[in-house]
Amino acid sequence: MDKQQLSKDILKLVGGEENIDQVTHCMTRLRFNLNDNGKADKATLKNTPGVMGVMENGGQFQVIIGNDVPVVYNALVGNMSKSPDAKPAAAATGGKKKNPLSAVFDFISGVFTPILPAITGAGMIKGIVALLLTFGWIDATSSTYIILSAIGDGAFYFLPIILGISTARKLGSNMYIGAAIGASVMHPTITALLAPGENVSFIGLPVVAATYASSVIPILIAIWLASYVEKAIDKVTHASLKLIVVPTVTLLIIVPVMMIAVGPLGVIIGNGLTDGINWLFNNAGLFAGLLVGGAFSLLIITGMHYALVPIMIGSIATLGYDYLIPLMMVANFAQAGSALGVSLKSKNKQIKSLSASTGVTALMGITEPAMYGVNMRFKKPFVAALIGAAISGAFISFFQTKAYVIGGLAGLSGIPMIIGPTFVYALIGIVIAVVASAILTYILGFEDVPEAVPAATATASAEPVTPVAADVNSSASAVTAVEEEKVQDQEVFSPMTGEVKPLSEVPDPAFSEEIMGKGFAIQPTEGRVVSPINGTVFSLSKSGHAIGLVSDNGAEMLIHIGIDTVKLKGQFFSPKVQAGAKVAVGDVLMEFDREEIEKAGYTTITPVIVTNMHQYESIVSAGRTAIKEQELLYTAKA
């Protein structure tokens, strides 16, 4: 796959560079803050080769790429004339008022995603040190242990400084003022001054003792307030004095406010959340694990799992352990188990290969390819994964299984996170998640893809909500049985009687902009489709509205009856052939009730296109405006 071309396609389909306010990436997704999500061509993006899915969560427009996301991100940024961070993400609402809950998730995601590498790296080192110490391979009094521990603890101890930078960046304020606020409360003299039992005041106001090391909530609140203070001061300060006045006044206001009010309040909130989660698992462990474990994949899909990140970090920092991380791990392993179950059950070689490879990737903690490309596509495997995660979650919570560090992905690479007194129960829970989900997938079954349908369908979405999704399943990105070779001129005869229209008149950009291929459209006057070529029925959509064909000369064709007619779910369509059938020009492929389809509110305009246009030079029209079945429509010139 050409990553450079993929990045250009994505840039165009999200509405162009002018529609991008900010773009970042995590382990598998490009995360856009778009000025107007409506300008993005979500349907075409979903079915772009190299794109595993598209989601809108927490105000973000997310394009799921998989393991190659860093390469695609770098290519994307390289194709932009300005930095993707040129404008603050806080403004990325396109002038529209954002849902408050979505705004919170967007804020948390935007703050924590950039700092995950630092936290993950430090957490992995903490896990390795714990492993070395457990097996007696290192002495706890040695200088090596002390240095390694400092490397692992550094990012967590000075978390307020790191979060100060990230939060300010997300809010569009000065990142270094954010860092200075975090550094002020972490100063050794302040730490000593705020030791419990000391009476401290600032200009007569009492300063409540609080521990800021490894804290999360206080700095988030403080930088949020600082963003308003900074902007307010900036507005009333002359340009010549901004450099001096704005940071000075901001620090003088926010740091004391943080120590007097925000810090103690933030600590109370953070401790309350942590204590609440721990109370739940200590008093209703089995049921808590059943509920949270079973729902964790749904939280990931909606982006709500980001709201749990501060709780996880706070729990590790204050208590030394966390109950949520193991549940996230078993949810991921359950997705892996279901994908592997699909591999065992499917009779299609391409599906077996895809599900096996994405299952292995999910075992490593990267679940999106398995979740979106396999389990959610076939539906029942996804349900099996939720049940498997719930069973495993109940088990590990019954034994109060904990994670002791944060680091690595929630997969095999994250095993060091769970090394500790409950390690054995965690491993058993992982096995339960994988095995239970695989067995349930095998028992529940799913609608397999027939072997006659080529591999391209294995990577397409199982729930086409637009005609474009069905097109990809039909033929657009297919690898045909005809080998890639020099093709011959292809005469395409009309598959129906009606009026010939240019593709530009089709009310779907995938066709009107010739994204899917080239050809012409027909506004039918009768409800019948015949074969326009001599060849093979490549595929037939389950809803009947799209037919893929491969001619004996190597032309890949798509006949798409109407726009959005996939939503009819097969109603008013009557297929007369099956995938794999040999056909000749004039053979009946489909009958449909044109009048009823139009009464239901759908246009029946039908694109008739060649999808492998990279093998042809041009399309030459036969010059007809009114046409009958089997009359020459156009010729694809090789």
Side-chain angles (χ1 to χ4, degrees), residues 110-415:
V111 168
F112 283 94
T113 297
I115 71 171
L116 283 179
I119 294 176
T120 298
M124 284 297 293
I125 293 170
K126 286 170 69 69
I128 292 170
V129 171
L131 190 64
L132 295 174
L133 198 60
T134 300
F135 287 98
W137 295 337
I138 194 171
D139 188 347
T141 61
S142 68
S143 57
T144 300
Y145 171 81
I146 294 171
I147 292 172
L148 286 176
S149 296
I151 296 172
D153 288 334
F156 294 95
Y157 184 84
F158 292 103
L159 192 59
I161 299 176
I162 298 174
L163 280 175
I165 295 171
S166 185
T167 307
R169 173 181 174 275
K170 174 63 181 174
L171 294 172
S173 53
N174 191 293
M175 294 185 292
Y176 303 103
I177 293 178
I181 292 170
S184 297
V185 296
M186 291 300 301
H187 195 281
T189 56
I190 296 295
T191 302
L193 184 66
L194 297 179
E198 296 290 334
N199 292 321
V200 182
S201 63
F202 178 78
I203 57 173
L205 298 172
V207 176
V208 181
T211 301
Y212 294 100
S214 304
S215 65
V216 174
I217 304 296
I219 193 69
L220 293 178
I221 298 174
I223 302 302
W224 175 70
L225 291 174
S227 68
Y228 286 98
V229 172
E230 180 184 337
K231 291 168 186 174
I233 298 170
D234 184 79
K235 284 183 180 180
V236 298
T237 304
H238 190 273
S240 62
L241 299 174
K242 287 182 187 291
L243 181 62
I244 299 173
V245 174
V246 174
T248 302
V249 177
T250 301
L251 288 172
L252 284 175
I253 292 175
I254 293 299
V255 175
V257 168
M258 182 177 180
M259 295 173 63
I260 294 168
V262 172
L265 176 62
V267 170
I268 291 171
I269 294 173
N271 289 342
L273 291 172
T274 300
D275 292 343
I277 292 291
N278 288 317
W279 180 91
L280 181 64
F281 283 94
N282 288 330
N283 292 276
L286 187 149
F287 298 103
L290 184 78
L291 178 62
V292 178
F296 223 111
S297 291
L298 298 175
L299 296 178
I300 292 172
I301 290 172
T302 61
M304 292 175 65
H305 64 297
Y306 278 104
L308 301 177
V309 173
I311 298 175
M312 295 176 186
I313 295 174
S315 183
I316 293 284
T318 57
L319 301 175
Y321 60 82
D322 176 65
Y323 288 115
L324 294 173
I325 293 173
L327 291 170
M328 181 167 61
M329 292 184 72
V330 298
N332 285 356
F333 279 108
Q335 293 293 335
S338 285
L340 296 174
V342 172
S343 180
L344 293 172
K345 182 84 170 179
S346 177
K347 303 300 183 183
N348 185 302
K349 292 180 181 179
Q350 287 77 24
I351 295 294
K352 291 177 77 72
S353 176
L354 174 73
S355 52
S357 61
T358 57
V360 171
T361 303
L363 288 174
M364 299 307 297
I366 301 175
T367 58
E368 277 87 348
M371 186 185 301
Y372 295 106
V374 177
N375 298 340
M376 290 182 69
R377 178 194 172 192
F378 293 112
K379 301 181 182 68
K380 288 182 180 179
F382 184 70
V383 174
L386 298 183
I387 297 172
I391 295 171
S392 177
F395 173 84
I396 65 174
S397 295
F398 180 78
F399 291 101
Q400 297 188 344
T401 306
K402 307 174 182 70
Y404 300 92
V405 296
I406 294 180
L409 297 170
L412 291 176
S413 62
I415 292 295

Side-chain angles (χ1 to χ4, degrees), residues 286-556:
L286 187 149
F287 298 103
L290 184 78
L291 178 62
V292 178
F296 223 111
S297 291
L298 298 175
L299 296 178
I300 292 172
I301 290 172
T302 61
M304 292 175 65
H305 64 297
Y306 278 104
L308 301 177
V309 173
I311 298 175
M312 295 176 186
I313 295 174
S315 183
I316 293 284
T318 57
L319 301 175
Y321 60 82
D322 176 65
Y323 288 115
L324 294 173
I325 293 173
L327 291 170
M328 181 167 61
M329 292 184 72
V330 298
N332 285 356
F333 279 108
Q335 293 293 335
S338 285
L340 296 174
V342 172
S343 180
L344 293 172
K345 182 84 170 179
S346 177
K347 303 300 183 183
N348 185 302
K349 292 180 181 179
Q350 287 77 24
I351 295 294
K352 291 177 77 72
S353 176
L354 174 73
S355 52
S357 61
T358 57
V360 171
T361 303
L363 288 174
M364 299 307 297
I366 301 175
T367 58
E368 277 87 348
M371 186 185 301
Y372 295 106
V374 177
N375 298 340
M376 290 182 69
R377 178 194 172 192
F378 293 112
K379 301 181 182 68
K380 288 182 180 179
F382 184 70
V383 174
L386 298 183
I387 297 172
I391 295 171
S392 177
F395 173 84
I396 65 174
S397 295
F398 180 78
F399 291 101
Q400 297 188 344
T401 306
K402 307 174 182 70
Y404 300 92
V405 296
I406 294 180
L409 297 170
L412 291 176
S413 62
I415 292 295
M417 295 190 293
I418 55 177
I419 294 176
T422 58
F423 183 52
V424 173
Y425 299 119
L427 292 181
I428 295 173
I430 288 171
V431 173
I432 291 173
V434 175
V435 174
S437 299
I439 292 175
L440 284 168
T441 296
Y442 200 90
I443 293 173
L444 292 174
F446 50 89
E447 187 173 342
D448 201 4
V449 177
E451 186 66 46
V453 179
T457 56
T459 59
S461 171
E463 284 191 273
V465 295
T466 68
V468 180
D471 295 345
V472 174
N473 280 339
S474 300
S475 69
S477 61
V479 179
T480 72
V482 179
E483 291 295 324
E484 194 82 17
E485 58 185 15
K486 178 64 177 177
V487 296
Q488 304 173 28
D489 287 358
Q490 179 65 58
E491 290 186 330
V492 177
F493 298 91
S494 179
M496 53 178 60
T497 299
E499 184 179 359
V500 179
K501 301 283 187 180
L503 287 179
S504 59
E505 292 188 22
V506 178
D508 186 317
F511 297 110
S512 62
E513 297 177 13
E514 299 186 338
I515 294 171
M516 301 296 297
K518 293 185 178 182
F520 286 87
I522 299 174
Q523 183 65 59
T525 55
E526 298 178 3
R528 192 170 82 150
V529 179
V530 301
S531 178
I533 48 91
N534 297 323
T536 304
V537 177
F538 181 77
S539 63
L540 182 67
S541 66
K542 189 163 60 174
S543 57
H545 74 291
I547 306 164
L549 300 161
V550 182
S551 79
D552 293 338
N553 292 337
E556 298 176 20

